[in-house]
Amino acid sequence: MNTRVARATISDVAKAAKTGKTSVSRYLNGEQHLLSDDLKARIEFAIKQLDYRPSQMARGLKRGRTRLIGLIIADITNPYSVDILSGIEAACREKGFTLLMCNTNNELDQEQHYLDLLQSYQVEGIVVNAVGMNEEGLNRLQQSALPMVLIDRKIPGFACDVVGLNNAKATKEATEHLIQQGFEAILFISEPTGTVNTRRERLDAFRQTTSQHQGVAAENAQAPLHDASQIDDILRNFHSRYRGMRKAIISANGSLTLQVARSLRRVGLNWGSDIGLLGFDELEWAELAGVGISTLKQPTWDMGYCALNQVISRIEGDKSSIKESTFDGVLIIRGSTSC
Amino acid sequence: MNTRVARATISDVAKAAKTGKTSVSRYLNGEQHLLSDDLKARIEFAIKQLDYRPSQMARGLKRGRTRLIGLIIADITNPYSVDILSGIEAACREKGFTLLMCNTNNELDQEQHYLDLLQSYQVEGIVVNAVGMNEEGLNRLQQSALPMVLIDRKIPGFACDVVGLNNAKATKEATEHLIQQGFEAILFISEPTGTVNTRRERLDAFRQTTSQHQGVAAENAQAPLHDASQIDDILRNFHSRYRGMRKAIISANGSLTLQVARSLRRVGLNWGSDIGLLGFDELEWAELAGVGISTLKQPTWDMGYCALNQVISRIEGDKSSIKESTFDGVLIIRGSTSC
DNA sequence: CTGTTAGCGCTTTCAA
DNA sequence: TTGAAAGCGCTAACAG
């Protein structure tokens, strides 16, 4: 038994099996039909004996195929992202790829940094679930011609596969549910839309849907996620302005819904009785919060799974034109909108 | 301008800068003081010009230093793990390491698979936040002598750095809080303890603490996380058995607290009024669930951060004896235990 | 200060 | 069927 700490290399195996590296390599790469049974057995034994595992580094260097996929994620703390991640992860496992995970913490320069990093590790493809992307980053990326798919976000002028929610349809469904429940004033609240297409699309659909219904007052407000007092103001204001009417809030994403719920608590409004509340993204605690919070659940896992399979199909040479995969959301009605 | 898709290599840069690879390598590795200003400038220009980024694969192969750290995580869906991850991530970024993230989905064979994988990518260290580990895995790991730290879990007979909560102290604090609040019957509920030392330690501390207080009935129960009906039974049973007394539940971890809260809803008990409830691990929604749920918050971020720094210090040659870092929890009192 | 050379562990012609 | 040898992109002696 070998007591060295260093790992066995292919040469060690070859030596132990009394053969050349080539045969070992063949053995490893499924070209076993080319090997005699005897040789095969020797190699197998040597590998087991030495506890040999080929170096992916060397392999990657040689073949250019690292079997690595880069994932850029805006905020690992966000349950939405985590669900996506979970689907990506499953697909990776299935397909024999490994994830290089990068959390940008919502910072643009981190995003850039990680993009570089991923390239330097020669990832074969990239999945991005991030905030935005500056021009320099885009150029580099486009020029690198690395297979890439964007989740939940399109970037204007950047042709690239995308997977996301059918925002128009989902928003319409959510809004109509509220109208049907008899809410007369609806506030759509989101983080500052900026160039984030998801927020824009949802807002637009909200406006369009409400505009088709007489007598429904539609409002919208934007606030940074962590500006509690601004959110308080918005909600208080909305509530007092429509005194005497049935009011509801739509929150554009899960993290925001949490903040909105906290804010409602602070300003002393109860969802369900004082005001309606519906949030995009399912929350594990939605049913436990008071009378429950209605949500629009995205099939996050499937989206992640789909995204990864999409990159892989590109990696494997799929040259078809840009693909946009959209998924339908599911409205989950709870006490906050069924009063 | 070069239109090839292939990335520039160090040779390309050397050629463009009219020099040898060595100088470029020196430039890249901070030995710039050895280079003349002129040469430095030429190299710098060439690098920019070619948008050159060194291949970590080749580097890793050559130096054996991949700057990669493997992370094995039991369940990426668990908010506790995610917080830890977040701290780990921050430390990585600071120290210039990259994470290879592996989610085992609580499956033991996945754990093994990933352990192999990480080695084959020549990670320089491993952080494990996982369920358990079978013997084969342990042996391989021990023999590979790869720096490793375990989070929130000790493995009997496996000498390795550990970071975790001061379970005894935290449990004592939580239990005494309940006693002080006048609860007369306390149920400690956890997932089946098995060999998981964390669960054991908490349960032991619970028993010890309650045994020191006259007139407090201490119970404990174990249920798999996803066996809803069993949890229902346990709670119903506990509640009816101590009819007329003030009762409280301690849940041994955050995921379980969620299930317990759901169960209480189902069986029609309200935390705060009908029964006390306190859970290990802070929950973002704790304050929103009815009167709020008291929690014992772990400094998860710091724990992750600490763990990573510990591996790095080992990577950098720290040969000191096994280190065990324990952190104190913080009791956050909300309505569920202050009735 | 600078460049040449020999590998790191692997795959892949190319010959036997 | 098998193996020797070249070389992926990089670093690290070793010479100038």
Side-chain angles (χ1 to χ4, degrees), chain B residues 19 22-23 26 34-36 39 61-62:
Chain B
T19 176
T22 315
S23 298
R26 288 201 179 105
L34 295 176
L35 305 176
S36 69
L39 183 50
L61 181 57
K62 180 65 193 173

Side-chain angles (χ1 to χ4, degrees), chain A residues 14 58 99 101 110 151 155 159 181 201 250 276 290 322-323 325 330:
Chain A
L99 266 193
M101 217 214 38
Q110 280 302 329
I151 296 190
I155 299 182
Q181 290 293 317
E201 287 177 19
I250 298 186
I322 295 310
K323 188 165 159 196
S325 317
V330 178

Side-chain angles (χ1 to χ4, degrees), chain A residues 54-65:
Chain A
S55 155
Q56 297 295 341
M57 286 291 168
R59 242 188 227 210
L61 180 58
K62 181 68 193 171
R63 298 208 285 197
R65 298 189 359 188

Side-chain angles (χ1 to χ4, degrees), chain B residues 97-292:
Chain B
F97 281 78
T98 301
L99 266 192
L100 224 41
M101 216 214 40
C102 308
N103 174 29
T104 65
N105 235 356
N106 275 321
E107 289 157 31
L108 238 61
D109 49 338
Q110 281 302 331
E111 210 162 295
Q112 191 51 54
H113 166 76
Y114 278 130
L115 244 20
D116 284 357
L117 187 87
L118 290 180
Q119 296 214 55
S120 75
Y121 277 103
Q122 251 114 298
V123 296
E124 299 185 51
I126 302 189
V127 177
V128 181
N129 175 24
V131 175
M133 200 128 22
N134 55 26
E135 260 189 44
E136 194 194 352
L138 287 179
N139 284 335
R140 285 205 181 173
L141 223 43
Q142 207 142 28
Q143 150 181 339
S144 78
L146 210 54
M148 165 157 133
V149 15
L150 253 38
I151 296 188
D152 191 42
R153 210 151 248 109
K154 279 175 249 176
I155 299 182
F158 186 51
C160 145
D161 292 328
V162 168
V163 358
L165 185 72
N166 185 333
N167 285 306
K169 186 172 167 193
T171 308
K172 183 159 186 281
E173 195 181 347
T175 309
E176 286 180 341
H177 162 67
L178 291 177
I179 293 174
Q180 211 171 293
Q181 289 293 317
F183 289 104
E184 303 154 300
I186 307 178
L187 171 70
F188 181 95
I189 184 169
S190 71
E191 298 175 65
T193 54
T195 57
V196 180
N197 73 297
T198 315
R199 298 177 191 159
R200 279 240 121 83
E201 286 175 19
R202 292 180 189 170
L203 176 55
D204 290 349
F206 169 72
R207 284 190 174 132
Q208 215 213 310
T209 308
T210 48
S211 74
Q212 287 164 358
H213 290 264
Q214 295 293 329
V216 172
E219 296 244 337
N220 93 80
Q222 304 183 184
L225 201 52
H226 295 296
D227 188 338
S229 71
Q230 192 178 343
I231 298 180
D232 289 358
D233 287 347
I234 289 171
L235 299 185
R236 225 178 335 233
N237 186 304
F238 174 66
H239 182 256
S240 65
R241 207 132 34 77
Y242 292 92
R243 208 167 281 288
M245 287 169 73
R246 303 202 55 220
K247 298 164 291 287
I249 302 167
I250 298 186
S251 149
N253 70 61
S255 310
L256 187 57
T257 307
L258 175 63
Q259 301 307 331
V260 167
R262 284 186 174 147
S263 173
L264 287 173
R265 276 274 170 130
R266 283 193 300 266
V267 304
L269 294 172
N270 293 311
W271 50 89
S273 45
D274 301 325
I275 199 165
L277 176 60
L278 186 157
F280 274 81
D281 299 340
E282 170 67 331
L283 308 158
E284 59 170 14
W285 47 273
E287 55 185 295
L288 296 175
V291 294

Side-chain angles (χ1 to χ4, degrees), chain B residues 24-70:
Chain B
V24 179
S25 176
R26 288 201 179 105
Y27 176 89
L28 293 170
N29 292 290
E31 297 172 23
Q32 309 195 358
H33 54 281
L34 295 176
L35 305 176
S36 69
D37 285 352
D38 175 54
L39 183 50
K40 234 189 303 190
R42 267 152 48 214
I43 294 178
E44 188 173 351
F45 180 74
I47 287 182
K48 198 149 288 173
Q49 161 84 37
L50 296 171
D51 188 27
Y52 167 74
R53 270 181 305 287
S55 155
Q56 297 295 342
M57 286 291 168
R59 240 185 226 209
L61 181 57
K62 180 65 193 173
R63 298 209 285 199
R65 297 190 1 189
T66 57
R67 302 288 90 173
L68 242 30
I69 299 232

Side-chain angles (χ1 to χ4, degrees), chain A residues 239-265:
Chain A
H239 183 256
S240 64
R241 208 135 30 80
Y242 292 93
R243 208 165 281 290
M245 289 171 70
R246 301 201 58 219
K247 298 164 292 289
I249 302 167
I250 298 186
S251 151
N253 70 60
S255 311
L256 189 57
T257 307
L258 175 62
Q259 301 307 329
V260 167
R262 284 186 176 149
S263 174
L264 287 173
R265 277 277 170 127

